[in-house]
């Protein structure tokens, strides 16, 4: 199976239209074998395989998960669904790609892990959340990969049962956002995931009022201080793109807080208004020059 998948993947990279189209059709047929995702995962992990083939393999797994992993998928196509043993093997191998030295492999793997999580966590993949939190203490590349998974996975579809996990995740995000050890891109990812967490807290603030009342005020005290610090940072005379992107994400987070959980924002309102007003004044002259 693995050799057949590898040859088909190679064919999809061909410049010859006929070869490429035949190989794409071959992959569609191979997808109907429950051994396909494990074979593709082995190729994606194989250092001896070409990088192009490895990238093609993980992309194929991403499509396979959408089409054949669960009957509950909106993109499900008729065909056999892998058994739990096969799924566990594929999950393990795809998760390993989050530590790959190649950014493209890591980012596609992050999307695949997030997609699997929708169907498999917590019942079939209970250790996933703790594995990702552990990865948040790894290398910078691993931290970005884990944040990318959370960025695609953490959303309003999460149930009330997952609120406790959100309570574990938010301090980790704050640690990353507040640390100068990470670059602006990583800070942006941390703020985006935090903003998604606020959405979930807002949705569940009535049904889990006691939990929210106990946890949100200290969370906001820490986060708003760091958010306002980022907003107040002066812009450099050039190369402002990363700084502006971070400020933008910080403002989006504040908007989510104000709209989603307004009853907790009162003590922070003066500082928020002062920081935003100062930022508007700072940006007035550059804006007038630009437009």
């Amino acid at each position: 199976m693995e050799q057949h998948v590898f040859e088909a993947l190679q064919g999809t990279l061909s410049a010859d239209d006929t070869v490429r189209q035949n190989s794409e059709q071959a992959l569609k047929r191979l997808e109907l074998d429950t051994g396909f995702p494990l074979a593709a995962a082995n190729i994606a992990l194989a250092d001896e395989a070409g990088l192009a083939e490895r990238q093609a393999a993980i992309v194929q797994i991403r499509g396979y998960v959408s089409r054949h992993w669960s009957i509950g998928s909106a993109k499900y196509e008729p065909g056999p669904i892998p058994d739990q043993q096969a799924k566990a093997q594929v999950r393990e191998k795809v998760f390993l790609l989050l530590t790959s030295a190649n950014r493209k492999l890591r980012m596609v793997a992050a999307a695949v892990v997030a997609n699997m999580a929708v169907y498999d966590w917590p019942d079939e993949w209970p250790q996933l959340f703790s594995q990702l939190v552990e990865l948040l203490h790894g290398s910078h590349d691993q931290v970005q990969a884990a944040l990318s998974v959370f960025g695609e996975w953490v959303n309003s579809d999460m149930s009330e049962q997952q609120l406790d996990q959100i309570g574990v995740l938010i301090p980790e995000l704050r640690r990353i956002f507040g640390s100068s050890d990470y670059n602006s891109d990583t800070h942006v990812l941390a703020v985006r995931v935090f903003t998604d967490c606020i959405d979930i807290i807002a949705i569940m603030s009535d049904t889990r009022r006691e939990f929210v009342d106990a946890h949100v005020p200290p969370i906001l005290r820490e986060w708003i201080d760091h958010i306002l610090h980022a907003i107040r940072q002066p812009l450099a005379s050039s190369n402002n793109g990363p700084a502006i992107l971070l400020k933008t994400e910080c403002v989006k987070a504040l908007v989510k807080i104000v709209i989603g959980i307004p009853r907790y924002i009162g003590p922070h309102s003066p500082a928020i208004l002062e920081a935003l007003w100062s930022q508007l004044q700072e940006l007035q002259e550059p804006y007038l020059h630009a437009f």
Side-chain angles (χ1 to χ4, degrees):
M1 166 62 76
E2 197 168 315
Q3 184 61 33
H4 291 310
V5 173
F6 184 78
E7 291 172 356
L9 290 171
Q10 279 188 318
T12 63
L13 302 172
S14 173
D16 187 303
D17 289 344
T18 301
V19 172
R20 187 172 64 254
Q21 290 169 5
N22 288 339
S23 297
E24 289 170 353
Q25 291 302 313
L27 282 175
K28 285 187 176 296
R29 291 191 295 272
L30 289 167
E31 274 191 0
L32 297 178
D33 189 311
T34 54
F36 174 83
L38 183 57
N42 285 333
I43 294 168
L45 272 175
D47 290 332
E48 63 273 17
L51 182 57
E53 286 81 5
R54 295 178 68 194
Q55 291 174 351
I58 190 64
V59 169
Q60 285 296 320
I61 295 173
R62 183 178 186 178
Y64 179 92
V65 170
S66 296
R67 294 188 290 270
H68 300 295
W69 199 256
S70 170
I71 197 170
S73 171
K75 297 181 180 179
Y76 173 76
E77 294 180 3
I81 294 175
D83 61 29
Q84 291 307 316
Q85 182 179 0
K87 284 185 174 183
Q89 291 177 305
V90 175
R91 288 193 298 257
E92 180 182 356
K93 292 177 183 295
V94 172
F95 192 90
L96 285 174
L97 286 171
L98 297 178
T99 64
S100 169
N102 182 271
R103 186 179 185 279
K104 288 184 178 179
L105 286 174
R106 287 197 310 275
M107 292 302 99
V108 180
V112 175
V113 169
N115 200 4
M116 290 175 172
V118 172
Y119 309 114
D120 296 352
W121 185 83
D123 295 338
E124 296 167 15
W125 201 358
Q127 72 275 27
L128 173 60
F129 192 91
S130 59
Q131 286 178 314
L132 289 171
V133 170
E134 183 178 347
L135 209 59
L136 291 176
H137 292 268
S139 69
H140 287 197
D141 287 343
Q142 291 170 5
V143 170
Q144 283 204 348
L147 288 173
S148 295
V149 175
F150 281 125
E152 295 204 34
W153 175 27
V154 175
N155 57 58
S156 58
D157 292 333
M158 282 188 156
S159 72
E160 183 177 336
Q161 295 175 339
Q162 277 82 68
L163 194 56
D164 293 331
Q165 276 75 30
I166 296 301
V168 172
L169 177 59
I170 287 178
E172 296 291 344
L173 298 174
R174 207 281 306 157
R175 172 184 61 81
I176 293 166
F177 177 47
S179 173
S180 59
D181 291 339
Y182 300 101
N183 60 24
S184 181
D185 289 342
T186 306
H187 289 160
V188 166
L189 287 173
V191 176
R192 283 178 180 168
V193 178
F194 170 69
T195 303
D196 292 335
C197 291
I198 292 297
D199 264 340
I200 296 172
I201 291 172
I203 291 170
M204 300 178 187
S205 59
D206 290 331
T207 56
R208 293 287 300 273
R209 180 68 178 268
E210 184 176 342
F211 178 96
V212 174
D213 283 345
H215 289 80
V216 166
I219 286 172
L220 292 188
R221 279 195 297 272
E222 290 193 347
W223 269 92
I224 288 179
D225 283 346
H226 285 284
I227 285 173
L228 296 184
H229 177 74
I231 289 174
R232 291 186 181 112
Q233 291 303 299
L235 294 174
S237 57
S238 60
N239 193 27
N240 285 320
I244 291 174
L245 181 57
L246 180 57
K247 287 173 182 281
T248 301
E249 292 301 325
C250 286
V251 171
K252 289 179 181 178
L254 289 176
V255 170
K256 286 287 186 181
I257 292 169
V258 170
I259 294 175
I261 45 177
R263 63 176 174 266
Y264 304 103
I265 202 67
H268 309 284
S269 295
I272 292 173
L273 292 173
E274 179 275 326
L276 294 178
W277 180 248
S278 296
Q279 194 63 200
L280 287 172
Q281 289 179 312
E282 180 184 345
L283 293 174
Q284 182 180 17
E285 186 174 345
Y287 178 87
L288 292 174
H289 280 298
F291 298 100

